[in-house]
Amino acid sequence: MSHHLPDTKIPAPCIVNTGIIVNKLDIRRLLNDLGRVHYIYTQDNKLLSEGDGDVMEVFTNPSRSTLVANNALYLNVASFDYLELKQSPQQETYFDLMQEQMCLRLIPLSTTLQERRDSELRRNRQFNCTAIEAMMDQILAARWDAEIDDDCCDSF
């Protein structure tokens, strides 16, 4: 005997200021426009690290790490099981990135659109510099290869 469930469509969730988000794309969308944040890193409710920094990159890659160093945060959504969206008593939204007994709390410090644009501009400049450096490395390596080839051919 076969059991059939009615063909029903469940609407996508609507989360406003509080809730749990498990979809990695939704988590990336939430974190992507963060600029400057105060972060609190805890494990088993014990404070391990705390500070301020700029969210430089938000990505999803199971083989890369989330990195927090030198006032910069590189957030890998794959490092976390879910994001819990919460509000402070002052009605300010913050983000708890959860993985087992570990929590990386992000409290936005920049909230104005201009601050977010400035942060995006800094990220783009850094990306452009990194891309230019990589291209220059490739050009120099190709040139050295060509010079080595020329030297080898000249000796025959």
Side-chain angles (χ1 to χ4, degrees), residues 7-34:
D7 190 19
T8 60
K9 291 189 177 197
I10 299 171
C14 177
I15 299 170
V16 179
N17 293 323
T18 61
I20 294 176
I21 296 96
V22 295
N23 182 290
K24 302 297 185 195
L25 290 175
D26 287 341
I27 294 172
R28 275 183 64 184
R29 286 176 45 216
L30 274 173
L31 299 178
N32 228 10
D33 67 345
L34 288 177

Side-chain angles (χ1 to χ4, degrees), residues 138-150:
Q138 289 176 352
I139 291 168
L140 290 173
R143 182 176 176 189
W144 291 331
D145 287 345
E147 287 176 3
I148 290 170
D149 289 345
D150 287 344

Side-chain angles (χ1 to χ4, degrees), residues 41-54:
Y41 180 62
T42 59
Q43 191 161 12
D44 294 320
N45 294 319
K46 293 180 184 141
L47 179 66
L48 298 179
S49 184
E50 183 174 9
D52 294 342
D54 292 305

Side-chain angles (χ1 to χ4, degrees), residues 6 27 81 86 99 121 129 150 154 156:
I27 294 172
D81 293 327
K86 297 181 177 179
Q99 171 65 8
L121 185 60
C129 289
D150 287 344
D154 290 342
F156 289 110

Side-chain angles (χ1 to χ4, degrees), residues 13 17 21-22 38 42 51 82 85 92 97 106 135 138 140 146:
N17 293 323
I21 296 96
V22 295
H38 180 76
T42 59
Y82 63 93
L85 199 55
E92 294 173 342
L97 291 161
L106 304 176
M135 286 188 304
Q138 289 176 352
L140 290 173

